[in-house]
Amino acid sequence: MSQKLAAVKGMNDLLPEEIGIWQHVEAAAREIFSRYGYAEVRTPVLEDTSLFERSVGEATDIVGKEMYTFHDKAGRSVSLRPEGTAPAVRAYVEHAVAQKEPLTRWYYIGPMFRYERMKTGRYRQFHQIGVEAFGAKEPAQDVEVMEMVVHFLNALELSGVALHLNSLGDEACRPEHQKRLVAYLSAHREELCPDCQTRLERNPLRVLDCKNESCRAIAQGAPKVQDSLCEACRQHLAEVRRRLDLLGVRYELDPSMVRGLDYYTRTAFEFVADDPALGTASAVGGGGRYDRLVRELGGPDVPAVGVALGLDRICLLLGAAGKRFGVRPDLFVAFVDVQAQDEAMRLSSALRRAGLRVELDTRGGSLKSQMKRADKSGARFALVLGEKELADRAGELRPMAGGEPRRVAFSELSAVLRRA
């Protein structure tokens, strides 16, 4: 007996009964984001490893522990993308987009890859919906991104998702905070987990993002970055808050919130859901401003802000809320014999070309089994073809949700179904 094959651990199949939710979320993203002037971009899933080392940061867990990295046949180090911003910036720089348009708004939808510990809402192949806005340094652009995500989540009727806001400072004031932070954490070094002891030397801000309970307790008493903000960063944060209030966007100022990537400056935010459907993975998405990244990846000095949302997690929340999505057939055509099958196929083909969704079971079988399939398909109507229907060129159109059937000529089926 041959060995049974299974998907790679942490990389999940999406079957038709699940995909309806995914398509609904993706369609909502495309619709809402396009209203704000964002256009879709698609980047490769495989990139030069140095892209993520330079952008995400060599000292991060993503680069240090989680990336799928290997050497290709030419000996080059390549990695499956662990996040979407760095590839978007690489594409923005490579294609000299800044020379073509001063303000660029992109979104993307696609898979990312990280070798993480598997939990509910945390997978090794996961999917993100992301947004990047290049060219605007103003707080208004930060607010537009956040308000657009709120609009998107509201369109999905997702409640219980809170916006958390913070400022991480910039190159002018972050060194002072880091100095104070290192002094504080060094006094608690022996209480930190082994990973955080390493982070203390290489990237102390990451200690504040650790999920270890003892490290979280220590982080609670750590100096807050807001206490070290320079005047420019204070004004930026104040203007972000003012404009969020102006648009009626509710948020929570969260001084302890940091992002897990090195490129963020000033504004940082997360969308957090308190829902058991996500297990310990409470963040639905997050983002912030990254004004230095385009320059650091070889491009012009262009400011930018973005956000990435966990598509898997959003779909988990919708599924837990009992939301069901999917396209229902307009009509299921059943037939009683071979002659009727020929007409069923001709009629189905004509209706499909007219833009209607029509299903039939090409295997035939008993009328009872076909009607069971019609019910399972969720079709709005069923039509049974037999000798009489073929002779009359008309049949009984049966509402599957209940109600009186009506006699309809084949030539009128398309118009009747469209009106129903």
Side-chain angles (χ1 to χ4, degrees):
M1 181 182 294
S2 59
Q3 183 179 0
K4 184 178 180 181
L5 297 175
V8 175
K9 187 175 182 181
M11 301 185 181
N12 304 319
D13 298 311
L14 289 172
L15 302 180
E17 55 265 29
E18 303 169 271
I19 208 71
I21 292 180
W22 286 68
Q23 292 174 336
H24 176 76
V25 174
E26 292 169 8
R30 289 187 168 95
E31 166 62 22
I32 299 299
F33 296 167
S34 67
R35 294 186 198 177
Y36 287 75
Y38 288 73
E40 185 174 7
V41 64
R42 301 188 186 189
T43 63
V45 296
L46 197 65
E47 296 274 4
D48 191 300
T49 301
S50 64
L51 171 65
F52 303 110
E53 291 173 343
R54 291 170 61 184
S55 59
V56 177
E58 291 187 75
T60 62
D61 286 350
I62 292 174
V63 172
K65 299 179 180 180
E66 298 171 0
M67 286 206 308
Y68 283 89
T69 298
F70 57 93
H71 287 85
D72 66 10
K73 291 185 178 181
R76 295 167 295 201
S77 180
V78 292
S79 298
L80 292 172
R81 62 185 183 194
E83 58 93 40
T85 294
V89 173
R90 191 268 310 146
Y92 178 82
V93 173
E94 182 175 346
H95 298 283
V97 178
Q99 298 177 18
K100 304 170 187 175
E101 50 189 31
L103 180 59
T104 302
R105 294 183 173 107
W106 285 350
Y107 74 87
Y108 59 82
I109 302 173
M112 312 292 161
F113 303 85
R114 296 182 194 174
Y115 192 82
E116 289 195 282
R117 290 181 180 178
M118 294 258 305
K119 296 180 181 178
T120 301
R122 294 183 188 274
Y123 309 114
R124 291 173 180 171
Q125 176 177 311
F126 58 101
H127 301 76
Q128 287 186 342
I129 298 174
V131 164
E132 316 293 349
F134 302 99
K137 67 180 185 301
E138 290 77 13
Q141 186 60 62
D142 307 19
V143 172
E144 180 189 77
V145 169
M146 287 182 273
E147 193 261 344
M148 184 171 67
V149 173
V150 171
H151 186 174
F152 166 64
L153 295 175
N154 288 342
L156 295 176
E157 298 181 355
L158 267 182
S159 58
V161 180
L163 170 59
H164 288 211
L165 176 69
N166 195 14
S167 174
L168 301 182
D170 61 13
E171 58 269 25
C173 54
R174 190 180 292 178
E176 176 61 26
H177 172 253
Q178 185 153 315
K179 180 180 176 181
R180 297 174 60 201
L181 179 63
V182 169
Y184 171 81
L185 294 176
S186 296
H188 296 273
R189 180 183 179 87
E190 298 307 314
E191 302 166 58
L192 297 174
C193 71
D195 284 342
C196 281
Q197 290 181 11
T198 301
R199 291 174 184 137
L200 177 57
E201 303 298 328
R202 302 180 63 189
N203 196 340
L205 198 62
R206 297 282 68 76
V207 176
L208 304 180
D209 204 32
C210 183
K211 301 301 185 286
N212 181 288
E213 287 302 322
S214 62
C215 296
R216 288 169 66 92
I218 293 168
Q220 289 296 315
K224 307 303 182 190
V225 67
Q226 287 187 17
D227 296 334
S228 301
L229 292 180
C230 62
E231 185 57 29
C233 288
R234 289 183 188 278
Q235 290 181 5
H236 190 97
L237 178 60
E239 184 64 6
V240 166
R241 297 182 65 184
R242 186 186 75 80
R243 289 179 179 271
L244 287 172
D245 292 338
L246 177 72
L247 298 181
V249 175
R250 299 177 63 182
Y251 65 91
E252 176 183 333
L253 195 62
D254 186 353
S256 64
M257 188 267 292
V258 297
R259 299 291 299 146
L261 307 174
D262 279 0
Y263 49 64
Y264 286 113
T265 57
R266 293 191 173 175
T267 305
F269 55 88
E270 284 188 346
F271 289 89
V272 180
D274 183 15
D275 194 304
L278 297 182
T280 59
S282 59
V284 172
R289 180 162 283 282
Y290 50 96
D291 289 343
R292 304 189 314 267
L293 186 56
V294 176
R295 182 177 71 245
E296 289 175 355
L297 291 182
D301 191 7
V302 173
V305 60
V307 63
L309 303 165
L311 181 52
D312 310 73
R313 297 181 185 182
I314 289 173
C315 291
L316 278 173
L317 289 174
L318 288 172
K323 305 285 187 182
R324 293 293 180 267
F325 304 95
V327 178
R328 296 174 59 195
D330 296 302
L331 179 69
F332 188 100
V333 181
F335 52 90
V336 299
D337 54 31
V338 174
Q339 288 75 28
Q341 183 183 29
D342 286 348
E343 182 58 37
M345 294 189 71
R346 279 195 294 266
L347 185 59
S348 297
S349 177
L351 291 171
R352 289 163 179 161
R353 288 197 301 270
L356 293 162
R357 296 178 292 271
V358 182
E359 188 171 329
L360 78 160
D361 190 336
T362 55
R363 301 170 303 170
S366 70
L367 188 57
K368 181 179 179 180
S369 67
Q370 290 184 68
M371 293 308 291
K372 282 185 177 179
R373 180 63 186 264
D375 187 56
K376 186 177 180 181
S377 76
R380 297 190 299 129
F381 295 94
L383 181 72
V384 178
L385 301 184
E387 183 177 347
K388 178 175 174 50
E389 285 74 25
L390 267 60
D392 295 347
R393 307 299 297 165
E396 297 287 332
L397 192 63
R398 306 180 185 181
M400 295 301 291
E404 291 297 318
R406 58 181 293 191
R407 192 81 171 165
V408 179
F410 293 168
S411 61
E412 297 177 2
L413 265 175
S414 177
V416 170
L417 287 168
R418 288 183 184 284
R419 291 196 302 266

